[in-house]
Amino acid sequence: MELYTPEVLISEEEIALRINALGKAITNDFEDEELVVICVLKGAFMFCSDLIKKINRPIKLEFISLSSYGDNTLSSGSVRLEMDITGNIEGKNVLIIEDIVDSGLTIKTLMEIMSVRRPKTVRLASLLYKPAKLKHSVKIDYLGFEIEDKFVIGYGLDYAGRYRELPYIGVLNAGH
Ligand code: IMP
């Protein structure tokens, strides 16, 4: 198989520094309260894993899986709930951890699913935000990086299931 090294957009070091700052902000905002962290699979797994290590509060970890992209770099326009959380979030402080907000449809749909379950609070941490494609208003409480309208991969994000293992965020160039 051909070896391809994508161009680095955000380095491992920059990601680690930003995650430290986000962890501190979340720790301060939640004082002594327990948090239900919902990791949005698959893209947020690496960000979630590193971020929760920097949150100095009791955490219950849940996983959810939604899909809108299939194997393309363009959103299909509809979101499917592929796997739900197992715990009850009624009356709880919920922190959703997402990899990227692009059109905003995935997060808008997820917020709707969660709000009918009557949590005490719901906040969103997103590693990346691409304002160029935003169609649905989304409030990101804890943002890693705002990026240009480029298809990015690595640090959990994929193209057709590949590149999630890269320790940095890279840009996928034409032809790859
Ligand atoms: P949205 O619903 O359009 O906001 O898209 C959110 C989802 O699309 C993310 O959770 C990602 O899985 C995927 N996505 C959007 N942009 C990218 C990208 O540049 N690289 C990889 N996945 C992306």
Side-chain angles (χ1 to χ4, degrees), residues 40 43 66 68-69 73 75 79 98-107 128 130 133-134 147 150-153 157-159 164:
V40 185
L66 298 144
S68 66
Y69 269 59
T73 56
S75 173
V79 176
E98 174 64 301
D99 56 353
I100 184 165
V101 174
D102 187 15
S103 73
L105 182 65
T106 305
I107 276 303
L128 302 170
K130 262 197 250 182
K133 289 269 183 64
L134 194 72
I147 60 165
K150 291 181 172 168
F151 196 83
V152 288
I153 46 164
L157 291 106
D158 76 312
Y159 170 65
R164 292 192 197 276

Side-chain angles (χ1 to χ4, degrees), residues 102-156:
D102 187 15
S103 73
L105 182 65
T106 305
I107 276 303
K108 180 181 164 261
T109 309
L110 185 51
M111 288 294 185
E112 285 167 3
I113 294 170
M114 291 303 141
S115 68
V116 295
R117 301 179 186 183
R118 308 208 289 167
K120 184 176 167 197
T121 59
V122 186
R123 293 195 194 188
L124 170 65
S126 182
L127 175 65
L128 302 170
Y129 168 49
K130 262 197 250 182
K133 289 269 183 64
L134 194 72
K135 287 203 195 103
H136 307 273
S137 83
V138 169
K139 181 170 178 279
I140 304 174
D141 301 283
Y142 307 100
L143 174 63
F145 305 91
E146 187 172 308
I147 60 165
E148 285 174 51
D149 188 15
K150 291 181 172 168
F151 196 83
V152 288
I153 46 164
Y155 200 70

